[in-house]
Every structure is written in C-alpha cells, then in structure tokens.
C-alpha cells in the first residue's frame, strides 16, 4: 500500500517541501516542491538595463554575487553583439574572478559545516563523536563559520560588502585597491588555506593534490573532516546511495556528449541553444500560472537536448577529467559521497586559484574603462554564463528601447532539483528513488547543495 | 547695536555706495580715492573709514550689495506660484527696473567689476560676491527644468543664455546706441530668452 | 534567558547570510546570551511545524520573533509547511514580546512586493504607502510596535545590538518609521573616506578611483540615506562607498521602485535630492563657494599628495 509522506526541508537556502511515495519500505516516487515564488523575471521587465545589477543579486543571499557577474557578462554580451569591442582591463577581470571565487569558497564551507555535517549528528548513533559538528556549540561548526567570515573580508575590501554588492558594471569594476589591500587579501587567503589543510584534509595541500585514486587517499590522508565524512559515509552505506543520471553539464562542456539526443562517450561543447525549459509540471507557464493537480513546483524542468543533467562541482571535476574523480566515479558512481567530496575538494583548489589571481594583480591598471556608448542605446539579446558555486548559471537579457524587455534566468539548482518532465525525473528526484530512509533522502538532496530561493526566483 | 542705529548705519552705507559709484563712473576706479569719496559725502576721511576700512573693501561690498539687491528680487519672483514663462518675463523686467532705478550699480558691475578683476581677486573669487544672484538664478533654472518647462542642460549655457542678453542690452545703453530705454525692449528680450530655454 | 524564533517569508535569505557573518558577538556567542528556538539555516534537529504547534498551544513562550522576508496571504506564493505566514504572524502577534522585521522585505515588501503589491507587503508597511499586514497602531505586549530594521540586507550588528539591548532590559528609541533611532540617525554619508571630496565638491566622474565623491554624477545616496554603514563597517572591514560603489539608499522606503541607481538625477546640473538638513538655497551657495576655492590636495591622486 502506497504511503505518502510530506516533509518540510530547511537548511537548504530557502525552503523545500518533499512529497515521498513509500511502498514496501522504499521510496517509490519523490516530488521536490519549491513553493515560494517572488517573480524576479517580471520585476526586471521595463527597468533600465543597469538596474539589473542591483536587482539580480537580490535573488539570492548566498550566491547573489554569481548573479551579479552573470548579469554584467550578459550586458557586455549585448555590446559585443552590437559590434562594440568593450575593453576590460586585466585588473578588472581578475578582481571579478577574485570576488566570485571567494563567494564559491565561502559557500562550500558554510554548506559543508552548516548543512551537511549536522545531518550526520542525527544519523550517527555515537553522539559523543559528533559533538564538534553540532550547530552553534560544536567547535568545528564555530571555527568553520568564523573562517567563512574571514574570507568574505576580501570581498569587502574589493567590493564594499558581502552580501549584496553591485560593484561591477560593463567596462570594469568600481574599486581602486591599493597594494596593501592586496597583501591583506593574500594573507587572508593563506589563513583559510591553513584552515583547509589543518581541519579539512589533515595534511599539506600538495600532498592532497597528489592523490589520484581512492586507495591513494586512504594511504596518504590520515585525519581531517573530509576523512571523517568519508568514514561516516562508508559506515552508513551512503557511498553507494544517491546516484543519478551520470550526466553532467558545465558552461564549458557537457559529459557525456549529447548530440541530437544520442549519447556518446566523450565530452563536447556546451551549446546554449540546446537548453529547453519544460513547464509541464510547473505552476508557471509561458502565459500565466496553472495550479492543476499534476503541477507541483514553481520551478521549471530544464533539459539539454531533451535530457536531464547534473551541474555543480562534480560536473566540473568530470569535465576537467580530474584523475581522482575519474577513479571515484568508476568505483562509486555519481553517489552521495562522490558529490560531496567534489565540493570539498573544490575549496582547496579554488583557494590556490584565488591566491594566483591575487598575485597576478597589477593595481596600476585602470579599473574601469567607460564604454563608447551607453547601454540604453543598444538593443538585442545578451547571454551571461558562469559557473557558480552550485553549478552552471545562465542569464539571458533582452533590451529594447532602452529598457529590459525580457529577462530569463536558469539557475544550477533548477537543473538539479527542478520538477520532472514527461520522460525523466530531475537528477535529485532520481537520486532518492529506492531509499529506505527519509533522513538519508534529505541528506542526498543536500548533497546537491540546494538553493531553493534561486530556483524559483 | 539697537535697530534704529543699525538702520541709520545701513542708510549711510547706501549713500556712500551711490556717491562712490558716481565717482568711479566719472573718473575711473583707480583715479578715485577714499578722500575723494569722503569729500563728496561731506564726511571726514576718518568717519568714512568707520564704514569701510579700505577702497578694496568698499569695492567688494558694492558688489555684494548689488547681488543681494537683485537676488532678493529674483527670490521673490521664484517663490511666486506662477508659470515658468511668466517668471522669465518678470525676471527680465525686474532687471531692467533696477537698472533704471539704480543705474550706478549696473554701470559699476560692467565698468568696474568686470574690467578690474585684479581688484577683486581676493575675497571675490569666482561667484563669491555675486552668490545671491547666481543662487536664485540656479534655483529658477532648476525648478523650471524639474517642472519640464525648461530644456535639460548643463547650468552654464543656461545661465549665459539668461544673463547674456540682459548684460548686452545694458552695455549698448552705455554706448549710447539704443534709441529707446532698455526696459522698453524687455518683452521682446524675454520672449527670446524664453524661446531659447524652453523645452 | 530570553529566546528567539526566526521565520522566513518571501526572502532571498540575504539577512540570514549577513547575520551569519556576525562578529563580536559571533552567532554562537549571540546564542549563548539568547536561546535560539529555531532558525531555518541553523537548527538541525527540530521541525518548524512541531515548534509552531507548541507555540500556538501556548506551551512555548517566545520573547523575540524575527521575521525575514515579505509576507503574503497567498499560499500559492509562499508557505511554511501548511501555513501561510500571515496566518502564523496573526496567531503569534499577541503572544510574543517583541516582533522585529529584519530587512526591507519584512518591513515594507521590497522587491518581492513589486510582483503583486496588493497581496505582498511587509509587517507594518506596504510598498509606496500601501498597508502592511498589521495595523499601523499595532503594538506587541511589550508596548513596542514592530521594530523595523530596513536595509537590503541588514548588517548583523543592527540585529544583535537591537536584540541584546532589549534583552538587557534597556529601552530603545524608535524613529518615525519605527527603526532604532541610534542606528538610523546616522547617514551612510557619515564617515565615508571620500567626505573631503564631498566637502570640496570634487566629483568622481567615472567609476574606478578611490578619489572623488560619488554623489554628483554616480548616483550615491549617502547624504540622503539613513544608515550607519560608514560607522559600523560591513564585514568589519569596509563599506560600498569606501570601495567605490555608490550607496544605493537601500534603507530608505523608496529603494525598490527607484530607477537608474548609478546616475545622479539632476536638473540644470543641480542634484534633485540634496543632502538632508540643508535647504536648496544654502546647498547651492555652499557649492558655489567650495568650487571657487579649490583644495589642491584633492585634485591629485592620493599617492601624489604630500
């Protein structure tokens, strides 16, 4: 007899409601419901173009910065499409990359310690072992939150504040840091890197980066929160759970390659024209809203050439042919453990990338070079693509008569946690089918790092 | 100082200004001395120095006094609840009224102030000594643009378009070329200025 | 110990994310002085529907109710479990000691309310003069109206200072918008590192320099915005204007429906909105004087000054 369980999920940047259909003590079907809607795409219509830089970050409090960068890229794309060669100084590009990278790192740290590890405190029988991860009082929880605040100071130095800055416009950035600002940023980066080494991987970062397989990991890494996480995962059988379609998308490439619906082994370039939003199960239709029974979420389903794709750090690892993750995928598939590990791994690599950006910065270059024409005088469609913390983010803006005519946003969580289409469940829905525990279902959903507020904007 | 005494002092200053302007016009700024002015006033030089410590101070004061005078009148027009076009006409007319009632002040502005900038270098930099007039004109232009009656533009071209014709007319009078009195051209001039500035 | 319940309406969670950045007190330190009943991103072992049940029944008394996000009656747009947030607030409003609206959305609806200003609003105010959820004269049992913290987002210290001050039994004075006077009596202009450029009317004509005032051309709302952003620094480090981004006036009620945030609206070269406290006449006169006397130091890049 089928039993329906409804859960309200928090610690997902917003709120998700979950409808689980149980049969024979297993999840037979799962509906991920995003029920909160703010209508940002409508709010943006008829506004002056540059106002989008103020408005889109306010779609989301934790990844608002990614929206800012996607918006400025979409606006700069309009210049390009109109034949203007916009000059952005190397310094401005680097500063944009720096603040964006900082947000990703901070997102991952907060997600792991605030959203992921506390679930293990419920799953684990031995409560004493988990006390450091308990929210508010656990020493590791406190330390992680504090270090996530430290790295954000780099954004404050370069962009004024976090959250919600709009410090970049077509043509560059607004800030003019001095040399000692950069030195301070480097010092902060080093401190966070030390945290990563001491607390998360329990070893020197170069040692960790030399790991190319699961077996090598077990040999070389002897302590740290990553190891603790892996051990807990293995202990609770979650190394095999949470597998999805094993299909990945990043804004650079998709894996495996999909051409005309046929799946080939290797990767190929991401083609934005192959994206389709399917609203059959969404409250939002092309021409209004519809609340008939089968529709269950404000989010729309997104498909690439008709197929569902997973996006996020794991996708980025696959696309970049990362050696360690090729091994992990072979052994464990795209399971919960591998997905979470990919995110944690990214913290370390991004810290190194961040440091190299900072060291390459030449403060003597111009921060902002005024475009030849005002954007209000241009028309057409511009696209901004960016890899945000949770995966591929797409902004599409259409300008006409000096105003925004249409604005379309597809967020990473829409790819992962949108509703189903006629043929396929979303990657996250698929990942929890067959589970025997709703707590594990929650945990697997969180492994996708849900941003519910983004998904429904 | 009790009010009555203050009024008397102010009146005396006004008389001094009148006389000084007349002498500056007849003999030129540099050829007129404080004793000349005192003599024409029937005052002792020491007494005159009670009012103005130097010729330079007097020179600047005359400018500020004129500016306040014209500025007050324009402020009254600004504060009236009438259409922008009417304000243009009123301002132009008021300017010519003052140039009729107090011709020595307008003369002073053209012949002494503008011609001897070096006298006014310290203490009258930029718009400092004409700030009241300039402020009221700024307010007039800003409110006109805000209402949509005047064309949006930068302050300076608008200012010159408004004041240039007025100064030009008075200059022509000084050259004794005008067949009629300047105030009789007031309507025509105001119409020109309005058409130039309106949106 | 007093306790605190944090609920979200239609929100981006920006105020929560900002709150998590709190230092002195840190979030953990803060919740050692105030007991946390529930917060959507912190609490891991309790369900909000259970907690609301207990509170509705009267078994759990709440001292501080913090609301982040806009409120609506329309359950199709927003729900917490099976309830609309309007329902929850109406039930709780006479049961809690203090209600604090955290962020613009909870105060007056902000951007979400633009989508449907009749159905979406803040707690005691709506957009552009529309009504909020609660009557304007409403007060909680403590005698305070809803305490409004405008901002998009708010600074964590605005939250912690307000809650802690009240929890110590001290009164806080509110301004005419029911915002804590001591926070919102400052202008975001006060303390900006570019104040000298403002004084001497040296304008920044383009973005990207640390010199120059952003008020004259680039839309900075510092002199007309009530916020302590240049006194209580963001992330304890800096502020938008210090980093070259104009203040966008997010703590003022007209924030969501203003347009062209990066342009100073001018008529004949004079800013439409002049600094608070000064008349237009006075402002123009002072500007004239300041522009006349140049400050040589401010005409150069700082690195080239003595």
């Amino acid at each position: 007899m089928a039993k329906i369980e409804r859960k309200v999920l928090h610690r997902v940047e917003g709120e998700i409601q979950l409808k689980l259909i149980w049969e024979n003590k297993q999840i037979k079907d799962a509906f991920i419901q995003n029920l909160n809607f703010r209508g940002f795409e409508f709010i943006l219509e008829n506004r002056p173009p540059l106002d989008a830089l103020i408005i889109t970050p306010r779609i989301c409090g934790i990844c608002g910065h990614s929206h800012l960068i996607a918006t400025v890229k979409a606006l700069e794309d309009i210049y390009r499409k109109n034949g203007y060669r916009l000059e952005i100084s190397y310094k401005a590009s680097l500063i944009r990359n720096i603040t964006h990278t900082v947000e990703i790192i901070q997102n991952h740290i907060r997600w792991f310690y605030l959203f992921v590890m506390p679930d293990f405190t419920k799953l684990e029988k031995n409560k004493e072992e988990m006390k450091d991860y308990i929210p508010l009082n656990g020493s590791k929880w406190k330390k992680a939150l504090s270090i996530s605040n430290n790295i954000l100071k780099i954004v404050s130095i370069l962009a004024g504040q976090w959250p919600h800055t709009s410090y970049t416009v077509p043509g560059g950035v607004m800030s003019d840091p001095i040399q000692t600002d950069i030195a301070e940023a480097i010092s902060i980066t080093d401190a966070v890197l030390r945290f990563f080494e001491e607390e998360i991987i329990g070893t020197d970062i170069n040692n960790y980066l030399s790991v190319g397989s699961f077996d090598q990991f077990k040999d070389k890494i002897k302590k740290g929160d990553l190891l603790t996480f892996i051990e807990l995962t293995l202990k609770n059988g979650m190394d095999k759970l949470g597998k999805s379609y094993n299909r990945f998308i990043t804004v650079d490439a998709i894996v495996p390659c999909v051409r005309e619906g046929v799946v080939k082994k290797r990767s190929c370039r991401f083609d934005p024209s192959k994206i389709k939003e399917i609203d059959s199960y969404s409250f939002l239709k092309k021409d209004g809203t519809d609340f008939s029974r089968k529709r269950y979420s404000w989010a729309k389903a997104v498909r690439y050439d008709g197929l569902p794709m997973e996006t996020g750090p794991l996708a980025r690892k696959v696309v970049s042919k990362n050696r360690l993750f090729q091994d992990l995928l072979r052994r464990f598939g795209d399971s919960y453990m591998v997905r979470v590990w990919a995110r944690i791994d990214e913290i370390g690599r991004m810290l190194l990338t961040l440091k190299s950006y900072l060291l390459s910065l030449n403060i003597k270059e111009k921060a902002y070079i005024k475009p030849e024409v005002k954007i209000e005088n241009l028309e057409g469609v511009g696209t901004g693509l960016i890899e945000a913390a949770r995966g591929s983010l797409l902004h599409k803006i259409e300008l006409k008569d000096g105003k925004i005519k249409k604005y379309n946003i597809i967020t990473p969580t829409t790819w992962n946690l949108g509703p189903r289409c006629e043929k396929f469940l979303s990657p996250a829905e698929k990942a929890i089918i067959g589970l025997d525990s709703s707590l594990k279902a929650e945990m697997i959903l969180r492994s996708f790092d849900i941003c519910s507020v983004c998904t429904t904007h | 100082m009790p009010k009555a005494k203050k009024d008397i002092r102010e009146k005396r200053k006004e008389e001094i200004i009148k006389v000084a302007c007349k002498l500056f016009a007849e003999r030129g700024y540099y050829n007129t001395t404080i004793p000349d002015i005192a003599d024409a006033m029937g005052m002792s030089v020491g007494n005159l120095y009670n009012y103005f410590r130097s010729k330079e101070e007097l020179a600047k004061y005359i400018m500020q006094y004129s500016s306040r005078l014209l500025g007050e009148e324009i402020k009254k027009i600004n504060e009236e609840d009438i259409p922008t076009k009417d304000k243009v006409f009123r301002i132009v007319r008021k300017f010519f009224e003052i140039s009729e009632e107090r011709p020595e002040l307008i003369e002073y502005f053209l012949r002494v102030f503008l011609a001897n900038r070096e006298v006014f270098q310290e203490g009258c930099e930029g718009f400092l000594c004409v700030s009241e007039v300039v402020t009221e004109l700024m307010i007039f232009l800003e409110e006109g643009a805000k209402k949509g009656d005047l064309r949006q533009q930068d302050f300076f071209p608008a200012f010159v378009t408004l004041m240039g014709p007025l100064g030009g007319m008075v200059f022509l009078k000084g050259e004794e070329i005008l067949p009629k009195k300047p105030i009789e051209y007031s309507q025509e001039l105001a119409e020109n200025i309005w058409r130039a500035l309106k949106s | 110990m007093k306790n605190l319940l944090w609920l979200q309406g239609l929100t981006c969670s920006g105020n929560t994310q900002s709150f998590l950045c709190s230092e002195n007190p840190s979030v953990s330190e803060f919740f050692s002085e105030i007991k946390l009943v529930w917060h959507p991103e912190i609490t891991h072992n309790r369900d909000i529907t259970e907690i609301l049940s207990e509170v509705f029944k009267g078994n759990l008394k709440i001292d501080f109710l913090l609301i982040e996000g806009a409120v609506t009656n329309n359950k199709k747009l927003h729900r917490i479990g099976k309830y609309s947030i309007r329902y929850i607030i109406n039930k709780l409003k006479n049961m809690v000691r203090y209600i604090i609206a955290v962020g613009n959305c909870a105060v007056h609806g902000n951007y979400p309310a633009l989508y449907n200003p009749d159905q979406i609003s803040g707690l005691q105010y709506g957009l552009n003069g529309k009504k909020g959820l609660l009557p304007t004269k409403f007060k909680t049992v403590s005698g305070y109206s809803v305490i409004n913290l405008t901002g998009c987002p708010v600074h964590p210290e605005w939250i912690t200072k307000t809650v802690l001050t009240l929890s110590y039994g001290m009164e806080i004075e509110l301004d005419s918008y029911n915002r804590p006077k001591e926070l919102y009596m400052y202008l975001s202009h006060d303390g900006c590192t570019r104040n000298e450029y403002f004084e001497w009317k040296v304008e920044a004509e383009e973005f990207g320099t640390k010199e120059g005032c952003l008020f004259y051309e680039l839309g900075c709302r510092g002199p007309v915005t009530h916020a302590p952003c240049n006194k209580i620094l963001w992330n304890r480090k800096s502020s938008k204007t210090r980093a070259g981004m104009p203040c966008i006036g997010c703590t003022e009620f007209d924030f969501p429906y203003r347009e062209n945030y990066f342009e100073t609206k001018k008529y004949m070269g004079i800013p439409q909105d002049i600094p608070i406290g000064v008349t237009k006449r006075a402002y123009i006169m002072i500007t004239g004087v300041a522009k006349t006397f140049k400050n040589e130091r401010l005409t150069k890049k700082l690195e080239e000054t003595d």
Side-chain angles (χ1 to χ4, degrees):
Chain A
M1 246 276 287
K3 189 180 83 138
I4 299 180
E5 180 189 357
R6 288 179 193 276
K7 288 188 85 159
V8 178
L9 256 59
H10 288 106
R11 283 181 302 123
V12 295
E13 199 64 28
E15 185 188 285
I16 293 236
Q17 297 208 13
L18 195 54
K19 182 168 134 185
L20 299 174
I21 314 289
W22 288 92
E23 207 174 80
N24 296 326
K25 300 214 169 108
Q26 280 193 334
I27 296 176
K28 183 162 165 241
D29 202 0
F31 297 82
I32 298 175
Q33 303 183 276
N34 284 286
L35 297 178
N36 302 333
F37 180 72
R38 288 168 296 151
F40 269 83
E41 286 172 352
F42 302 103
I43 292 167
L44 286 160
E45 283 172 12
N46 288 317
R47 282 251 188 186
L50 294 180
D51 284 5
L53 295 164
I54 305 284
I55 298 174
T56 63
R58 286 162 169 82
I59 290 174
C60 182
I62 198 170
C63 63
H65 206 84
S66 312
H67 285 288
L68 173 69
I69 308 286
T71 299
V72 82
K73 283 177 133 192
L75 290 170
E76 287 177 344
D77 192 36
I78 299 223
Y79 277 97
R80 232 171 283 124
K81 294 235 173 77
N82 277 274
Y84 290 96
R85 201 190 67 94
L86 258 194
E87 211 192 318
I88 314 285
S89 71
Y90 189 48
K91 170 173 133 177
S93 303
L94 279 175
I95 292 179
R96 285 179 184 175
N97 288 346
I98 288 167
T99 57
H100 182 231
T101 306
V102 167
E103 189 181 73
I104 294 180
I105 293 168
Q106 172 265 4
N107 270 207
H108 289 345
I109 295 175
R110 281 195 181 174
W111 160 84
F112 182 60
Y113 288 94
L114 267 62
F115 294 175
V116 173
M117 289 311 277
D119 282 335
F120 278 108
T121 67
K122 293 192 280 190
L123 196 60
E124 252 307 289
K125 301 291 188 298
N126 186 344
K127 301 295 176 192
E128 187 52 32
E129 258 186 52
M130 299 304 300
K131 69 170 168 40
D132 291 336
Y133 298 99
I134 299 275
L136 287 184
N137 294 319
S139 64
K140 286 182 182 289
W141 191 95
K142 288 196 246 191
K143 204 162 180 190
L145 188 59
S146 169
I147 212 85
S148 78
N149 293 340
N150 279 0
I151 198 165
L152 286 172
K153 289 176 200 278
I154 297 178
V155 177
S156 185
I157 292 169
L158 295 172
Q161 67 178 68
W162 191 94
H164 293 341
T165 177
S166 301
Y167 82 117
T168 179
V169 282
V173 299
M174 300 179 185
S175 50
D176 180 17
I178 53 182
Q179 201 61 61
T180 42
D181 288 335
I182 308 303
E184 187 178 4
I186 294 173
S187 159
I188 293 172
T189 307
D190 278 338
V192 182
L193 190 54
R194 274 193 299 277
F195 166 84
F196 183 74
E197 289 176 325
E198 284 163 15
E199 301 290 325
I200 298 185
I201 54 177
T203 184
D204 176 74
I205 188 148
N206 294 311
N207 190 20
Y208 172 76
L209 291 176
S210 71
V211 166
S213 71
F214 186 67
D215 290 328
Q216 280 180 27
F217 178 82
K218 281 193 295 184
D219 280 335
K220 296 192 181 191
I221 311 297
K222 298 297 174 197
K223 57 188 169 87
D225 294 332
L226 173 59
L227 181 64
T228 306
F229 163 76
I230 290 167
E231 286 172 344
L232 286 167
T233 308
L234 291 166
K235 191 166 154 198
N236 289 283
M238 298 197 63
D239 52 314
K240 302 182 189 55
L241 301 177
K243 290 195 235 196
S244 186
Y245 293 105
N246 211 18
R247 265 189 238 120
F248 303 100
I249 189 168
T250 67
V251 299
D252 297 308
I254 57 157
V255 176
C257 183
V258 182
R259 271 194 228 282
E260 293 101 36
V262 178
V263 177
K264 298 180 206 267
K265 267 231 186 95
R266 62 202 194 328
S267 68
C268 59
R269 277 211 93 226
F270 166 62
D271 176 1
S273 67
K274 294 212 161 104
I275 297 180
K276 245 186 117 197
E277 282 183 288
I278 298 175
D279 61 26
S280 344
Y281 289 85
S282 166
F283 297 140
L284 203 56
K285 290 196 308 189
K286 269 197 182 41
D287 50 353
T289 55
D290 184 345
F291 296 98
S292 42
R293 281 213 87 191
K294 79 164 188 179
R295 294 166 184 273
Y296 61 92
S297 177
W298 279 103
K300 297 192 207 147
V302 198
R303 300 287 179 260
Y304 184 87
D305 215 13
L307 298 169
M309 298 286 184
E310 177 176 342
T311 186
L314 181 55
R316 297 194 271 262
K317 292 277 179 290
V318 169
V319 162
S320 61
K321 296 199 178 46
N322 178 289
R323 213 168 36 114
L324 167 61
F325 282 84
Q326 283 177 329
D327 182 64
L328 292 174
L329 280 164
R330 252 194 311 267
R331 281 182 78 136
F332 302 101
D334 56 339
S335 70
Y336 171 81
M337 181 179 85
V338 179
R339 195 174 293 120
V340 173
W341 191 335
R343 229 172 223 103
I344 299 171
D345 180 287
E346 207 170 63
I347 298 173
R349 284 177 208 273
M350 292 241 148
L351 281 165
L352 293 178
T353 309
L354 176 62
K355 192 161 173 186
S356 76
Y357 288 148
L358 286 165
L359 289 168
S360 316
L361 209 54
N362 176 4
I363 58 161
K364 297 208 194 318
E365 290 178 37
K366 286 194 86 169
Y368 171 74
I369 298 167
K370 188 168 175 175
E372 280 171 60
V373 299
K374 296 186 84 171
I375 189 131
E376 287 84 356
N377 299 336
L378 300 179
E379 291 194 344
V381 177
T383 306
L385 290 168
I386 193 171
E387 281 295 315
R390 291 162 189 76
S392 310
L393 174 63
L394 182 149
H395 277 218
K396 198 157 107 173
I397 184 172
E398 186 182 342
L399 298 183
K400 194 166 161 61
D401 296 330
K403 295 269 166 55
I404 297 174
K405 180 161 174 222
K406 210 168 171 321
Y407 207 110
N408 192 21
I409 299 171
I410 301 179
T411 65
T413 306
T414 317
W415 285 101
N416 295 333
L417 267 92
R420 62 200 55 192
C421 62
E422 264 76 7
K423 286 162 107 191
F424 299 103
L425 301 180
S426 64
E429 283 173 340
K430 169 129 181 14
I432 60 177
I433 303 296
L435 289 181
D436 61 3
S437 146
S438 69
L439 173 57
K440 287 188 182 173
E442 264 189 62
M443 292 171 73
I444 286 166
L445 290 181
R446 290 201 181 93
S447 72
F448 287 91
D449 193 357
I450 307 170
C451 188
S452 168
V453 298
C454 268
T455 308
T456 53
H457 47 281
Chain B
M1 204 187 276
K3 191 172 184 295
K5 247 192 162 170
K6 224 178 154 207
D7 286 341
I8 296 175
R9 197 178 158 77
E10 288 310 309
K11 282 218 79 184
R12 282 301 257 169
K13 276 185 171 176
E14 280 197 26
E15 286 164 24
I16 295 170
I17 290 172
K18 269 211 178 80
V19 166
C21 283
K22 185 159 166 287
L23 291 178
F24 289 148
E26 284 169 11
R27 304 181 197 179
Y29 176 78
Y30 284 106
N31 291 331
T32 311
T33 63
I34 286 286
D36 290 337
I37 300 170
D39 197 43
M41 286 289 300
M43 284 169 115
S44 71
V45 171
N47 199 357
L48 186 52
Y49 278 129
N50 272 335
Y51 291 93
F52 298 103
R53 274 171 305 185
S54 66
K55 193 169 81 170
E56 284 67 38
E57 192 187 300
L58 170 61
K60 287 176 195 142
Y61 184 80
I62 296 175
M63 223 31 252
Q64 291 164 335
Y65 170 83
S66 313
S67 167
R68 238 172 297 150
L69 192 86
L70 186 55
E72 288 256 346
E73 295 300 322
I74 300 179
K75 180 173 176 183
K76 284 185 207 151
I77 297 171
N78 269 334
E79 288 175 347
E80 294 217 40
D81 189 18
I82 54 177
T84 307
K85 179 176 178 184
D86 291 356
K87 287 192 184 176
V88 172
F89 279 73
R90 291 260 197 109
I91 290 174
V92 171
R93 188 168 184 85
K94 182 55 70 176
F95 179 83
F96 288 124
E97 277 175 17
I98 292 180
S99 74
E100 276 209 350
E101 288 162 27
R102 308 292 304 269
E104 74 280 5
L105 298 179
I106 310 293
E107 277 296 303
Y108 178 80
F109 175 70
L110 287 177
R111 313 276 171 186
V112 179
F113 182 71
L114 288 183
N116 300 304
R117 296 302 288 137
E118 67 285 0
V119 173
F120 298 90
Q121 244 170 30
E122 257 193 66
C124 268
E125 293 90 325
F127 278 153
L128 221 52
C129 290
V130 295
S131 62
E132 282 89 349
V133 176
V134 175
T135 299
E136 292 309 320
L137 291 173
M138 273 192 175
I139 289 181
F140 164 71
L141 290 169
E142 189 251 3
E143 290 180 356
K146 197 182 214 153
K147 285 197 203 146
D149 298 331
L150 300 180
R151 208 176 70 251
Q152 264 282 41
Q153 57 185 291
D154 207 24
F155 167 71
F156 288 106
F159 176 74
V160 170
T161 304
L162 179 53
M163 296 310 285
L166 305 184
M169 194 57 86
V170 179
F171 172 76
L172 289 180
K173 162 152 187 292
E175 299 299 301
E176 302 190 356
I177 297 178
L178 286 183
K180 300 192 270 190
K181 290 195 286 187
I183 200 164
E184 295 183 55
Y185 296 103
S186 170
Q187 285 284 99
E188 199 87 72
L189 211 53
E191 182 70 36
N192 285 349
I193 293 171
W194 165 246
R195 288 195 193 185
L197 289 176
K198 76 179 168 89
S199 65
Chain C
M1 213 192 286
K2 304 254 183 341
N3 65 17
L4 184 154
L5 171 63
W6 183 308
L7 294 176
Q8 285 180 330
L10 278 172
T11 180
C12 72
S13 278
N15 299 290
T16 286
Q17 287 299 326
S18 185
F19 173 64
L20 290 173
C21 291
S22 187
E23 282 175 62
N24 302 123
S26 69
V27 168
S28 300
E29 286 165 359
F30 178 68
F31 287 123
S32 318
E33 294 201 58
I34 309 276
K35 182 170 180 335
L36 176 63
V37 171
W38 189 85
H39 184 294
E41 296 200 11
I42 299 175
T43 310
H44 71 300
N45 56 2
R46 294 215 64 192
D47 189 63
I48 184 57
T49 36
E50 279 169 28
I51 291 180
L52 286 175
S53 236
E54 277 182 59
V55 182
F56 290 163
K57 285 196 207 123
N59 296 336
L60 176 56
K61 299 239 175 295
I62 303 290
D63 295 299
F64 293 97
L65 176 63
L66 267 62
I67 306 288
E68 168 185 21
V71 300
T72 177
N73 209 12
N74 187 342
K75 274 161 86 165
K76 295 199 167 76
L77 293 176
H78 178 268
R79 288 153 65 161
I80 294 183
K82 63 175 180 180
Y83 303 117
S84 79
I85 188 144
R86 224 170 228 238
Y87 174 82
I88 295 173
I89 291 173
N90 271 319
K91 267 203 95 112
L92 295 182
K93 67 182 188 232
N94 294 314
M95 297 167 88
V96 305
R97 262 194 90 67
Y98 305 98
I99 300 180
I100 302 181
V102 178
N104 279 355
C105 296
V107 174
H108 55 66
N110 207 26
Y111 286 123
L114 284 174
Y115 176 63
N116 192 335
D118 294 306
Q119 286 190 358
I120 306 171
S121 73
L123 289 174
Q124 247 177 333
Y125 286 92
L127 262 194
N128 209 359
K130 286 197 191 288
K131 288 203 296 224
L133 162 61
L134 299 166
T136 16
K137 292 206 161 49
F138 168 78
K139 293 200 198 304
T140 57
V141 299
S142 62
Y144 283 95
S145 61
V146 171
I147 297 171
N148 288 327
L149 296 177
T150 53
C152 187
V154 303
H155 188 292
E157 275 186 50
W158 305 352
I159 303 171
T160 54
K161 282 178 146 86
T162 303
V163 172
L164 288 172
T165 308
L166 289 169
S167 80
Y168 297 146
M170 302 175 201
E171 298 275 309
I172 51 169
E173 208 191 311
L174 299 179
D175 71 7
S176 55
Y177 288 107
N178 295 329
R179 301 179 296 197
K181 189 90 190 150
E182 289 188 0
L183 292 172
Y184 294 87
M185 62 190 185
Y186 293 94
L187 301 179
S188 62
H189 175 65
D190 303 333
C192 174
T193 47
R194 296 162 187 264
N195 277 164
E196 255 194 308
Y197 298 95
F198 173 84
E199 278 173 49
W200 292 96
K201 316 300 170 198
V202 180
E203 45 224 26
E205 291 178 37
E206 313 265 5
F207 292 118
T209 58
K210 59 189 174 305
E211 296 85 2
C213 175
L214 306 169
F215 172 68
Y216 301 101
E217 300 286 336
L218 301 172
C220 185
R221 304 289 288 177
V224 299
T225 299
H226 297 86
C229 299
N230 271 303
K231 174 182 180 253
I232 304 173
L233 296 179
W234 283 84
N235 309 97
R236 292 255 160 141
K237 256 285 141 223
S238 191
S239 74
K240 290 203 210 23
T241 61
R242 291 181 182 212
M245 179 182 159
C247 166
I248 50 179
C250 75
T251 52
E252 297 298 315
F253 277 59
D254 61 356
F255 170 64
Y257 49 85
R258 268 178 41 233
E259 294 191 344
N260 286 310
Y261 296 98
F262 293 140
E263 263 178 46
T264 303
K265 181 97 190 104
K266 293 193 280 200
Y267 296 109
M268 296 284 191
I270 297 169
Q272 174 190 265
D273 296 309
I274 53 170
I276 294 179
V278 70
T279 65
K280 194 172 296 181
R281 241 170 215 104
Y283 176 74
I284 291 172
M285 281 227 202
I286 294 175
T287 305
V289 175
K291 273 202 182 287
T292 303
F293 295 103
K294 259 213 275 247
N295 180 330
E296 287 304 323
R297 191 185 116 86
L298 301 181
T299 58
K300 313 181 199 162
K301 284 201 74 66
L302 283 171
E303 286 88 344
E304 291 155 19
T305 59
D306 289 327

